[in-house]
Amino acid sequence: MLPGREFTDISPINRELRSVKSEWELEQMRHSGDCLCSVFAQVPEFLKEGMRELDLAAEFECRLRKAGGEGYVRMRAFNQELFHGLAVSGATSDKPGFFDGAVSGRGLSAASPQGSSVEKIVAGSPVLLDYTGVFNGYIVDMTRMFVFGQPKPELEKAFATAIAIQQYLVENLKPGMICEDLFLVAASMAEDAGLGRNFMGAPGENARFVGHGVGLELDEYPVLAQGFKVPLQAGQTIAIEPKFVLPGLGAVGIENTFAVSSGGGIKITDMADEMISL
Protein backbone atom coordinates (compact mmCIF):
# COMPACT_ATOMS: atom_id res chain seq x y z
CA MET A 1 0.00 0.00 0.00
CA LEU A 2 2.98 2.31 0.52
CA PRO A 3 5.47 1.49 -2.24
CA GLY A 4 8.91 3.05 -1.91
CA ARG A 5 8.36 3.95 1.74
CA GLU A 6 10.57 2.87 4.63
CA PHE A 7 9.20 2.50 8.14
CA THR A 8 11.39 4.09 10.80
CA ASP A 9 11.24 3.90 14.59
CA ILE A 10 10.86 7.50 15.79
CA SER A 11 10.73 6.66 19.50
CA PRO A 12 14.33 7.88 20.11
CA ILE A 13 13.41 11.24 18.58
CA ASN A 14 10.26 11.35 20.69
CA ARG A 15 12.27 10.61 23.84
CA GLU A 16 14.63 13.49 23.08
CA LEU A 17 11.70 15.85 22.53
CA ARG A 18 10.01 14.69 25.75
CA SER A 19 13.16 15.22 27.80
CA VAL A 20 12.60 18.99 27.68
CA LYS A 21 9.55 19.84 29.75
CA SER A 22 7.11 22.64 29.03
CA GLU A 23 6.20 25.08 31.80
CA TRP A 24 2.92 23.19 32.23
CA GLU A 25 4.82 19.92 32.66
CA LEU A 26 7.21 21.51 35.15
CA GLU A 27 4.21 22.66 37.15
CA GLN A 28 2.89 19.08 37.19
CA MET A 29 6.25 17.86 38.47
CA ARG A 30 6.41 20.56 41.12
CA HIS A 31 3.00 19.36 42.32
CA SER A 32 4.28 15.76 42.39
CA GLY A 33 7.34 16.91 44.34
CA ASP A 34 5.25 18.79 46.91
CA CYS A 35 2.98 15.78 47.47
CA LEU A 36 5.86 13.32 47.82
CA CYS A 37 7.73 15.62 50.21
CA SER A 38 4.60 15.90 52.36
CA VAL A 39 4.65 12.12 52.88
CA PHE A 40 8.40 12.02 53.59
CA ALA A 41 7.86 14.73 56.23
CA GLN A 42 5.52 12.34 58.10
CA VAL A 43 8.09 9.52 58.40
CA PRO A 44 9.32 10.46 61.92
CA GLU A 45 5.71 10.06 63.11
CA PHE A 46 5.48 6.37 62.22
CA LEU A 47 9.04 5.02 61.87
CA LYS A 48 9.72 3.01 65.02
CA GLU A 49 12.71 1.00 66.14
CA GLY A 50 12.00 -2.72 65.85
CA MET A 51 9.34 -2.43 63.14
CA ARG A 52 9.76 -4.50 60.01
CA GLU A 53 10.94 -2.93 56.78
CA LEU A 54 7.72 -4.20 55.21
CA ASP A 55 5.57 -2.39 57.78
CA LEU A 56 7.48 0.84 57.16
CA ALA A 57 6.94 0.48 53.42
CA ALA A 58 3.24 -0.31 53.88
CA GLU A 59 2.69 2.77 56.05
CA PHE A 60 4.58 5.04 53.65
CA GLU A 61 2.76 3.67 50.62
CA CYS A 62 -0.62 3.92 52.34
CA ARG A 63 -0.07 7.61 53.02
CA LEU A 64 1.28 8.16 49.52
CA ARG A 65 -1.87 6.63 48.03
CA LYS A 66 -4.10 8.71 50.32
CA ALA A 67 -2.25 11.79 49.07
CA GLY A 68 -3.31 10.85 45.54
CA GLY A 69 -0.26 8.94 44.36
CA GLU A 70 -1.13 6.91 41.29
CA GLY A 71 1.58 4.28 41.70
CA TYR A 72 2.16 3.49 38.02
CA VAL A 73 5.94 3.85 37.74
CA ARG A 74 6.33 3.49 34.00
CA MET A 75 9.71 2.50 32.59
CA ARG A 76 11.00 1.95 29.07
CA ALA A 77 13.99 -0.26 29.86
CA PHE A 78 13.42 -3.91 29.02
CA ASN A 79 12.61 -6.18 31.98
CA GLN A 80 12.63 -3.31 34.49
CA GLU A 81 9.77 -2.74 36.91
CA LEU A 82 9.22 -0.95 40.19
CA PHE A 83 6.48 -0.98 42.84
CA HIS A 84 6.31 2.59 44.21
CA GLY A 85 9.85 2.49 45.62
CA LEU A 86 11.62 0.85 48.54
CA ALA A 87 12.22 1.05 52.27
CA VAL A 88 15.33 -0.84 53.39
CA SER A 89 17.72 -0.79 56.32
CA GLY A 90 21.07 -2.07 57.48
CA ALA A 91 22.64 -5.09 55.85
CA THR A 92 19.49 -5.95 53.87
CA SER A 93 20.06 -2.82 51.80
CA ASP A 94 23.46 -3.99 50.55
CA LYS A 95 22.08 -6.94 48.60
CA PRO A 96 22.21 -6.47 44.81
CA GLY A 97 19.14 -7.33 42.79
CA PHE A 98 17.87 -7.36 39.22
CA PHE A 99 16.82 -3.70 39.30
CA ASP A 100 19.29 -1.41 37.52
CA GLY A 101 19.92 0.93 40.42
CA ALA A 102 22.30 1.50 43.30
CA VAL A 103 20.03 -0.11 45.92
CA SER A 104 17.55 -2.94 45.35
CA GLY A 105 16.71 -4.41 48.74
CA ARG A 106 16.21 -8.08 49.60
CA GLY A 107 12.49 -8.21 48.86
CA LEU A 108 10.07 -10.88 50.03
CA SER A 109 11.03 -13.82 47.82
CA ALA A 110 13.32 -15.01 45.06
CA ALA A 111 10.49 -14.23 42.65
CA SER A 112 10.65 -10.56 43.65
CA PRO A 113 14.16 -9.79 44.97
CA GLN A 114 13.54 -6.07 45.35
CA GLY A 115 12.27 -3.70 48.01
CA SER A 116 11.46 -4.29 51.66
CA SER A 117 11.97 -7.52 53.56
CA VAL A 118 10.53 -8.74 56.86
CA GLU A 119 13.76 -7.90 58.71
CA LYS A 120 13.44 -5.57 61.69
CA ILE A 121 14.94 -2.08 61.85
CA VAL A 122 17.57 -1.81 64.59
CA ALA A 123 19.44 1.06 66.23
CA GLY A 124 22.49 2.35 64.39
CA SER A 125 21.46 0.88 61.04
CA PRO A 126 20.71 3.37 58.26
CA VAL A 127 17.14 3.39 57.01
CA LEU A 128 16.90 4.34 53.32
CA LEU A 129 13.58 5.33 51.77
CA ASP A 130 13.68 5.73 47.99
CA TYR A 131 10.25 6.52 46.57
CA THR A 132 8.61 7.91 43.49
CA GLY A 133 5.67 10.25 43.50
CA VAL A 134 3.34 9.88 40.51
CA PHE A 135 0.60 12.49 40.17
CA ASN A 136 -1.31 13.22 36.96
CA GLY A 137 1.12 10.84 35.26
CA TYR A 138 4.27 12.81 36.12
CA ILE A 139 7.01 11.14 38.17
CA VAL A 140 9.48 12.60 40.65
CA ASP A 141 12.05 10.54 42.55
CA MET A 142 13.67 11.15 45.93
CA THR A 143 15.57 9.43 48.73
CA ARG A 144 15.97 10.33 52.40
CA MET A 145 17.91 8.73 55.25
CA PHE A 146 16.85 7.99 58.84
CA VAL A 147 18.63 6.33 61.75
CA PHE A 148 17.94 5.44 65.37
CA GLY A 149 20.86 6.72 67.40
CA GLN A 150 24.19 7.39 65.74
CA PRO A 151 25.33 5.83 62.46
CA LYS A 152 28.82 4.36 62.20
CA PRO A 153 31.57 6.79 61.09
CA GLU A 154 31.98 4.98 57.76
CA LEU A 155 28.32 5.61 56.97
CA GLU A 156 28.55 9.25 58.02
CA LYS A 157 31.53 9.75 55.72
CA ALA A 158 29.76 8.10 52.80
CA PHE A 159 26.65 10.21 53.34
CA ALA A 160 28.69 13.43 53.51
CA THR A 161 30.38 12.42 50.24
CA ALA A 162 26.97 11.84 48.62
CA ILE A 163 25.84 15.31 49.68
CA ALA A 164 29.05 16.85 48.28
CA ILE A 165 28.57 15.05 44.95
CA GLN A 166 24.96 16.20 44.75
CA GLN A 167 26.05 19.79 45.44
CA TYR A 168 28.62 19.70 42.64
CA LEU A 169 26.14 18.25 40.17
CA VAL A 170 23.42 20.75 41.09
CA GLU A 171 25.78 23.68 40.60
CA ASN A 172 26.66 22.35 37.15
CA LEU A 173 23.21 21.25 36.01
CA LYS A 174 23.26 23.91 33.31
CA PRO A 175 22.54 23.92 29.55
CA GLY A 176 25.58 22.83 27.56
CA MET A 177 27.18 20.72 30.28
CA ILE A 178 28.05 17.22 29.02
CA CYS A 179 26.30 14.38 30.84
CA GLU A 180 29.30 12.04 30.74
CA ASP A 181 31.61 14.72 32.17
CA LEU A 182 29.32 15.22 35.15
CA PHE A 183 29.24 11.49 35.85
CA LEU A 184 33.03 11.19 35.61
CA VAL A 185 33.57 14.01 38.09
CA ALA A 186 31.07 12.41 40.48
CA ALA A 187 32.87 9.06 40.20
CA SER A 188 36.20 10.82 40.75
CA MET A 189 34.88 12.48 43.91
CA ALA A 190 33.81 9.07 45.21
CA GLU A 191 37.25 7.66 44.38
CA ASP A 192 39.02 10.54 46.12
CA ALA A 193 36.96 9.81 49.25
CA GLY A 194 38.13 6.18 49.16
CA LEU A 195 34.65 5.01 48.23
CA GLY A 196 34.97 4.35 44.51
CA ARG A 197 34.21 0.64 44.79
CA ASN A 198 31.07 1.41 46.83
CA PHE A 199 29.71 4.12 44.54
CA MET A 200 26.24 3.44 43.13
CA GLY A 201 26.05 -0.13 44.34
CA ALA A 202 27.75 -2.98 46.15
CA PRO A 203 31.33 -3.63 45.01
CA GLY A 204 31.19 -5.43 41.67
CA GLU A 205 27.49 -4.62 41.22
CA ASN A 206 27.77 -0.88 40.63
CA ALA A 207 25.17 0.96 38.57
CA ARG A 208 26.84 3.03 35.84
CA PHE A 209 25.01 6.32 36.30
CA VAL A 210 24.47 9.00 38.92
CA GLY A 211 21.36 10.67 37.51
CA HIS A 212 18.46 9.81 35.21
CA GLY A 213 15.78 11.81 33.45
CA VAL A 214 12.26 11.63 34.84
CA GLY A 215 8.85 12.71 33.58
CA LEU A 216 6.16 10.44 32.25
CA GLU A 217 8.65 7.58 32.70
CA LEU A 218 11.26 6.88 35.36
CA ASP A 219 14.06 6.34 32.86
CA GLU A 220 13.79 9.28 30.49
CA TYR A 221 16.64 11.17 28.86
CA PRO A 222 19.13 12.50 29.74
CA VAL A 223 21.29 10.12 31.77
CA LEU A 224 24.32 11.26 33.75
CA ALA A 225 26.40 8.28 32.71
CA GLN A 226 29.59 7.30 30.96
CA GLY A 227 29.02 7.19 27.22
CA PHE A 228 26.15 9.70 27.28
CA LYS A 229 28.09 12.45 25.54
CA VAL A 230 25.28 14.91 25.02
CA PRO A 231 24.75 18.42 26.40
CA LEU A 232 22.07 19.25 28.90
CA GLN A 233 19.16 21.45 27.83
CA ALA A 234 17.13 23.93 29.86
CA GLY A 235 13.88 22.39 31.07
CA GLN A 236 15.14 18.83 31.33
CA THR A 237 14.29 17.14 34.64
CA ILE A 238 16.79 14.81 36.27
CA ALA A 239 16.80 12.70 39.44
CA ILE A 240 20.31 12.94 40.90
CA GLU A 241 21.08 10.07 43.26
CA PRO A 242 24.65 9.63 44.54
CA LYS A 243 24.57 6.57 46.80
CA PHE A 244 27.04 4.25 48.48
CA VAL A 245 26.64 0.63 49.52
CA LEU A 246 28.94 -0.62 52.31
CA PRO A 247 28.64 -4.41 52.71
CA GLY A 248 27.68 -5.39 56.23
CA LEU A 249 26.75 -1.82 57.18
CA GLY A 250 24.10 -0.76 54.69
CA ALA A 251 23.38 1.82 52.05
CA VAL A 252 23.36 5.60 52.34
CA GLY A 253 22.78 8.39 49.88
CA ILE A 254 20.55 11.18 48.72
CA GLU A 255 18.23 11.69 45.77
CA ASN A 256 16.33 14.69 44.52
CA THR A 257 14.66 15.69 41.28
CA PHE A 258 15.95 18.89 39.65
CA ALA A 259 15.18 20.97 36.58
CA VAL A 260 18.09 22.11 34.41
CA SER A 261 18.44 25.90 34.25
CA SER A 262 21.05 28.56 33.44
CA GLY A 263 21.64 29.02 37.17
CA GLY A 264 22.06 25.31 37.91
CA GLY A 265 19.60 22.71 39.12
CA ILE A 266 16.25 23.90 40.47
CA LYS A 267 15.09 21.58 43.23
CA ILE A 268 11.66 20.06 42.62
CA THR A 269 11.65 17.74 45.65
CA ASP A 270 12.21 20.69 47.95
CA MET A 271 12.92 19.23 51.38
CA ALA A 272 15.96 19.26 53.70
CA ASP A 273 18.59 16.66 52.81
CA GLU A 274 20.16 15.76 56.14
CA MET A 275 20.01 12.28 57.67
CA ILE A 276 17.36 12.40 60.41
CA SER A 277 18.32 10.85 63.75
CA LEU A 278 15.41 9.49 65.78
Side-chain angles (χ1 to χ4, degrees):
M1 295 177 66
L2 297 169
R5 300 296 185 265
E6 179 182 350
F7 287 92
T8 302
D9 180 7
I10 65 167
S11 57
I13 299 173
N14 189 43
R15 293 189 78 188
E16 291 176 9
L17 290 172
R18 273 180 37 189
S19 75
V20 178
K21 308 303 188 290
S22 68
E23 183 53 43
W24 182 86
E25 289 182 295
L26 290 172
E27 183 58 36
Q28 303 307 303
M29 296 189 70
R30 284 190 286 267
H31 173 68
S32 294
D34 290 344
C35 292
L36 183 56
C37 286
S38 72
V39 179
F40 267 98
Q42 299 170 41
V43 172
E45 300 174 15
F46 57 83
L47 175 54
K48 307 296 182 184
E49 184 178 349
M51 74 186 308
R52 301 183 304 171
E53 292 177 349
L54 182 62
D55 296 323
L56 171 60
E59 184 65 32
F60 190 99
E61 290 158 18
C62 174
R63 297 184 184 220
L64 185 58
R65 285 290 283 157
K66 287 184 176 181
E70 293 161 4
Y72 292 103
V73 188
R74 294 186 170 94
M75 299 183 68
R76 185 166 298 251
F78 178 71
N79 238 9
Q80 289 293 288
E81 55 189 13
L82 182 68
F83 182 74
H84 285 293
L86 56 92
V88 294
S89 67
T92 68
S93 62
D94 66 16
K95 301 296 184 289
F98 75 93
F99 186 72
D100 186 20
V103 181
S104 292
R106 183 179 295 172
L108 297 174
S109 73
S112 181
Q114 175 187 344
S116 303
S117 73
V118 294
E119 293 296 318
K120 293 184 177 181
I121 296 169
V122 300
S125 292
V127 180
L128 183 148
L129 277 78
D130 182 348
Y131 272 92
T132 59
V134 189
F135 297 83
N136 200 27
Y138 282 87
I139 301 169
V140 295
D141 199 2
M142 67 185 288
T143 295
R144 289 298 183 273
M145 299 298 309
F146 303 85
V147 65
F148 289 98
Q150 191 70 20
K152 290 183 169 53
E154 301 95 317
L155 294 169
E156 289 186 316
K157 177 184 177 181
F159 183 71
T161 304
I163 293 294
I165 290 173
Q166 177 186 245
Q167 183 61 33
Y168 168 80
L169 294 174
V170 171
E171 291 173 355
N172 289 277
L173 214 62
K174 301 177 181 179
M177 296 298 290
I178 304 301
C179 293
E180 180 183 58
D181 293 346
L182 294 176
F183 170 79
L184 292 175
V185 172
S188 177
M189 292 175 69
E191 196 69 43
D192 291 344
L195 293 164
R197 62 192 296 269
N198 308 98
F199 184 49
M200 297 303 293
E205 295 287 345
N206 312 79
R208 301 299 180 182
F209 66 91
V210 71
H212 56 94
V214 289
L216 292 174
E217 295 174 313
L218 187 66
D219 54 348
E220 293 195 354
Y221 289 157
V223 186
L224 304 187
Q226 191 167 358
F228 208 83
K229 301 180 181 183
V230 298
L232 295 176
Q233 301 178 60
Q236 290 178 325
T237 46
I238 304 174
I240 292 177
E241 55 170 320
K243 293 171 181 169
F244 295 92
V245 178
L246 283 66
L249 296 179
V252 294
I254 189 69
E255 182 174 17
N256 284 292
T257 301
F258 298 91
V260 178
S261 79
S262 59
I266 299 174
K267 197 175 187 182
I268 294 175
T269 47
D270 194 9
M271 181 180 175
D273 293 338
E274 69 266 12
M275 186 184 301
I276 296 177
S277 180
L278 302 170

